[in-house]
Amino acid sequence: MKNRLMDGIAQPAFVLMWSSAFIVGIIGVGAAPPMVVLLGRYAIAGPLLLLYGLAVHAVWPRGRQLRHVMIAGLLVQIVQFAAFYSAMGEHVSAAVISLVQGLNPVVIALFSGVLGEHISRRQWVGFGIGGIGIALAVADQSRFSWLGLLLCVVGLLGLSLGTVYQKKFSPAVDSRAATAVHQLVSAPVAALLVLISGNFHISDYGRFAISLSWMIIVNSIGVFLLFNAMLRRWDATRVGKLFFAIPVTTAILAWLFIAQPLHALTIAGLAIGMIGMVLASRKTSAARPAPGVEPTPAVPQDLTAQPALPAAATSPDLTRA
């Protein structure tokens, strides 16, 4: 009975929890500057994840390995989320941001020289189709921003480069410890970004507190625990396929909760983009499988430093989003 309950609830719960990160992110940056949201998230989630790692006796990286984990964490957390949250501040929709983030495995494939992998013709086609889907979804936005789109690309590169870096230099680090280190090292950098921006004004403390609480409890901790539980129970491919449902789920949640429009062109763009994601994430039989954040070989982001996933599972904490 317990096993059937896990099968029936875990997968939709994971998709909803991951997708919700984009929604609460937009609510958060609507109540406070993006860098303040970033700082609040890491300043609270980092110590909590540290306590969790100590409680479960995680193996902590040291020396050169620790430096590599810190660099990967700054790429995945600071570069990715500073860019994505700033894009939200430029009124880029949650659906577009989640679709761009979902192209993470495609960008990782483009760094095949680092990973020693071969890019198949099907993957190149998938990359092109995914780009067309994003273009359609963006074209349907009532308030288009070239700066916002550029920020999305920067965020995607941060996630992908951080994933590749972690895979190359610290692939065997305990995922629980790496996740805590990523958040802890990002907090002071986020504080510096707040000081540089000079914008500390919180316009709505209630919305800010609610969104921040959700980011920390659900997106930074809850989805991380559920992700690992599913990987212990099921194979990585089954878990990885869930990421293909996130852009559409995000679009629906954004329509329901923050009144972002869901027009025919947006739906078409999301559908085409997802087809591209599926094609680009599939490997030919001759190609070596690409290991998958937050969260290691293919960190989904808002999940960083998670157990290895195939490229299909790579997507974003927004850690985890």
Side-chain angles (χ1 to χ4, degrees):
M1 181 67 168
K2 182 179 179 180
N3 292 340
R4 287 198 298 271
L5 186 63
M6 175 70 172
D7 289 343
I9 294 178
Q11 296 178 76
F14 176 79
V15 172
L16 287 171
M17 290 167 70
W18 191 291
S19 300
S20 70
F22 299 91
I23 311 305
V24 297
I26 287 177
I27 293 173
V29 300
M35 297 307 104
V36 172
V37 175
L38 204 66
L39 173 60
R41 176 177 186 162
Y42 296 145
I44 300 174
L48 290 177
L49 288 167
L50 172 62
L51 292 175
Y52 169 73
L54 293 172
V56 298
H57 305 291
V59 179
W60 299 91
R62 300 175 181 274
R64 180 178 299 179
Q65 189 179 60
L66 175 59
R67 290 195 294 273
H68 288 317
V69 172
M70 292 170 66
I71 292 172
L74 290 174
L75 286 168
V76 170
Q77 297 292 338
I78 291 296
V79 177
Q80 179 190 190
F81 289 110
F84 280 149
Y85 284 179
S86 297
M88 292 175 184
E90 291 293 320
H91 306 288
V92 179
S93 74
V96 170
I97 295 175
S98 66
L99 184 57
V100 171
Q101 190 195 58
L103 291 175
N104 180 36
V106 181
V107 178
I108 289 177
L110 296 178
F111 297 136
S112 59
V114 178
L115 292 176
E117 297 171 359
H118 169 70
I119 306 176
S120 69
R121 181 179 301 175
R122 178 168 55 192
Q123 287 178 293
W124 282 114
V125 171
F127 179 74
I129 293 175
I132 292 172
I134 291 176
L136 288 174
V138 168
D140 196 37
Q141 304 305 301
S142 58
R143 299 180 67 178
F144 177 76
S145 167
W146 282 107
L147 175 59
L149 186 58
L150 177 61
L151 286 166
C152 285
V153 173
V154 171
L156 173 61
L157 289 176
L159 172 59
S160 301
L161 287 171
T163 298
V164 170
Y165 188 94
Q166 182 162 305
K167 166 59 182 171
K168 184 173 178 63
F169 294 106
S170 55
V173 174
D174 188 314
S175 66
R176 300 162 298 182
T179 301
V181 171
H182 285 187
Q183 305 268 334
L184 290 168
V185 74
S186 296
V189 179
L192 179 61
L193 292 175
V194 171
L195 291 174
I196 292 174
S197 71
N199 188 355
F200 318 99
H201 177 65
I202 299 176
S203 60
D204 190 327
Y205 281 92
R207 287 167 62 90
F208 176 69
I210 292 173
S211 64
L212 198 62
S213 298
W214 187 277
M215 287 180 194
I216 294 166
I217 297 171
V218 176
N219 303 133
S220 293
I221 298 176
V223 77
F224 164 75
L225 297 175
L226 180 57
F227 182 82
N228 282 298
M230 291 191 300
L231 282 177
R232 286 193 298 269
R233 180 173 177 79
W234 302 316
D235 63 86
T237 300
R238 179 177 178 180
V239 178
K241 290 178 180 178
L242 297 176
F243 285 94
F244 296 130
I246 287 175
V248 169
T249 304
T250 300
I252 294 173
L253 291 178
W255 174 62
L256 289 173
F257 292 102
I258 55 177
Q260 289 193 343
L262 191 57
H263 301 144
L265 196 56
T266 300
I267 296 172
L270 288 170
I272 293 172
M274 288 176 61
I275 292 172
M277 288 166 56
V278 172
L279 288 175
S281 299
R282 295 184 64 184
K283 296 289 182 180
T284 61
S285 58
R288 187 179 64 187
V293 4
E294 150 261 1
T296 280
V299 178
Q301 163 345 269
D302 220 349
L303 291 177
T304 48
Q306 301 306 318
L309 279 181
T314 314
S315 175
D317 103 65
L318 263 164
T319 356
R320 292 194 224 355

